[in-house]
């Protein structure tokens, strides 16, 4: 009852289908499920002869049932995508190939984490896919490749119009010129009295420009407006300046 009624909401419907696709592209790929069957088969095979003898069963039938599991693992994703296309207005299936260099991760729809490997996924024509690049310490995100022009934004929302889309996330080593000069001096998270806030301290002898700096965690991203920090001075970024 709850799911049927939630699916009447267009936003929830899009999230539901994309979440479904995320799982089909990760924990429920044919390869992943077949690997799981392999492991279970290996664990059980030594016990099967005694099991068959004890209950007067057929070894041939047991092997046939195991083959049936592999067939299910191989064919099930395609059937599920067909059901999604028939149930929802999602358009045709679209393939995405995502490659990442070393030095960072890419979050697909804020759920799947792709790092230093090639990711192959199947999504749908009418449902945008969100990508977010997160560099490791000592690196920075450079750009996306695979578009007519270089895309510099760390977060992308792409409509998969082509049958197959190839995207490359490029990270590069980076030693920031302000390393050793600016630090996060204090952090107050989930503070009921004051709200969240962060204090940045400039302990160098020069004024530091922090315009367009980005504060981010796994779910949020905030870009600083025009601002600078004087030598040996502080800047506080907060939810509520009055509190």
């Amino acid at each position: 009852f709850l799911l049927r009624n939630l699916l009447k909401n267009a936003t929830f419907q899009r999230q539901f289908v994309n979440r479904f696709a995320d799982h089909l592209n990760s924990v429920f790929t044919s390869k992943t499920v077949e690997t799981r069957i392999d492991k279970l088969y290996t664990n059980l095979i030594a016990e099967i002869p005694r099991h068959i003898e004890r209950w007067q069963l057929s070894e041939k039938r047991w092997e046939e049932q195991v083959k049936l599991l592999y067939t299910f693992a191989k064919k099930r994703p395609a059937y599920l995508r067909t059901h999604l296309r028939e149930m929802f207005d999602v358009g045709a299936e679209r393939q995405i190939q995502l490659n990442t260099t070393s030095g960072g991760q890419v979050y697909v729809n804020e759920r799947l984490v792709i790092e230093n490997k090639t990711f192959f996924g199947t999504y749908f024509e009418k449902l945008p896919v969100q990508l977010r690049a997160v560099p490791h310490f000592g690196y920075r995100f450079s750009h996306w490749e695979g578009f007519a022009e270089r895309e510099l934004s760390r977060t992308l929302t792409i409509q998969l119009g082509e049958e197959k889309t190839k995207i490359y996330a490029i990270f590069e080593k980076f030693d920031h010129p302000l390393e050793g000069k600016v630090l996060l001096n204090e952090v107050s998270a989930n503070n009921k009295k004051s709200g969240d806030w962060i204090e940045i301290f400039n302990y160098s002898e020069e004024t530091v420009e922090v315009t367009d700096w980005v504060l981010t965690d796994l779910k949020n991203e905030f870009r600083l407006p025009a601002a600078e920090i004087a030598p040996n001075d502080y800047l506080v970024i907060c939810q509520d300046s009055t509190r």
Side-chain angles (χ1 to χ4, degrees):
F1 172 81
L2 285 174
L3 183 59
R4 287 199 305 272
N5 282 278
L6 284 168
L7 286 171
K8 294 176 182 177
N9 179 282
T11 300
F12 180 86
Q13 189 182 113
R14 289 194 298 270
Q15 292 175 342
F16 175 82
V17 176
N18 260 352
R19 181 65 176 269
F20 212 122
D22 289 337
H23 283 301
L24 287 176
N25 292 325
S26 54
V27 293
F28 292 121
T29 63
S30 294
K31 182 177 180 180
T32 302
V33 178
E34 287 170 354
T35 300
R36 181 63 175 164
I37 296 170
D38 288 341
K39 184 177 180 180
L40 292 171
Y41 181 89
T42 302
N43 289 341
L44 291 172
I45 189 65
E47 301 295 331
I48 291 302
R50 283 177 287 183
H51 176 76
I52 290 173
E53 181 180 3
R54 171 66 179 83
W55 300 105
Q56 298 299 301
L57 301 174
S58 166
E59 183 177 354
K60 180 181 178 182
R61 175 160 174 74
W62 182 72
E63 293 288 353
E64 288 173 350
Q65 292 297 311
V66 173
K67 289 180 181 178
L68 187 61
L69 287 175
Y70 283 106
T71 300
F72 184 91
K74 183 177 181 180
K75 295 186 176 182
R76 183 62 172 169
Y79 275 94
L80 287 172
R81 291 187 177 103
T82 299
H83 295 328
L84 290 170
R85 291 200 315 272
E86 292 174 348
M87 182 71 185
F88 305 107
D89 182 23
V90 296
E93 292 181 19
R94 292 290 185 256
Q95 308 298 316
I96 183 172
Q97 178 181 328
L98 174 64
N99 302 275
T100 66
T101 61
S102 59
Q105 302 172 325
V106 173
Y107 286 78
V108 181
N109 292 326
E110 296 297 341
R111 298 180 185 93
L112 300 184
V113 182
I114 312 302
E115 180 175 356
N116 200 22
K117 65 178 181 180
T118 300
F119 166 75
F120 297 94
T122 301
Y123 290 91
F124 298 98
E125 179 183 16
K126 295 183 180 181
L127 300 184
V129 174
Q130 187 184 69
L131 306 176
R132 186 161 66 91
V134 180
H136 294 321
F137 184 76
Y139 290 81
R140 68 178 175 184
F141 174 70
S142 173
H143 63 281
W144 302 96
E145 292 183 357
F147 303 93
E149 299 180 2
R150 283 166 59 113
E151 290 283 349
L152 303 179
S153 174
R154 290 175 57 200
T155 301
L156 282 183
T157 301
I158 56 174
Q159 200 84 32
L160 300 175
E162 301 294 328
E163 187 172 338
K164 186 172 184 179
T165 301
K166 291 184 179 181
I167 301 174
Y168 299 82
I170 310 299
F171 298 92
E172 60 187 13
K173 279 187 170 296
F174 180 66
D175 294 321
H176 200 283
L178 293 178
E179 183 178 357
K181 299 179 180 180
V182 176
L183 59 81
L184 290 176
N185 195 46
E186 291 189 59
V187 177
S188 176
N190 197 27
N191 191 316
K192 294 181 180 179
K193 290 185 177 180
S194 66
D196 291 352
W197 56 269
I198 294 176
E199 182 179 84
I200 302 177
F201 177 50
N202 173 17
Y203 61 102
S204 72
E205 299 301 321
E206 58 190 66
T207 298
V208 172
E209 177 78 29
V210 293
T211 301
D212 287 335
W213 279 29
V214 175
L215 289 173
T216 183
D217 59 18
L218 292 180
K219 295 183 179 180
N220 307 286
E221 185 171 294
F222 174 70
R223 186 175 295 274
L224 271 64
E228 61 182 27
I229 312 176
N232 296 305
D233 204 354
Y234 302 83
L235 176 68
V236 177
I237 297 96
C238 56
Q239 274 185 301
D240 188 323
S241 59
T242 303
R243 293 169 63 192

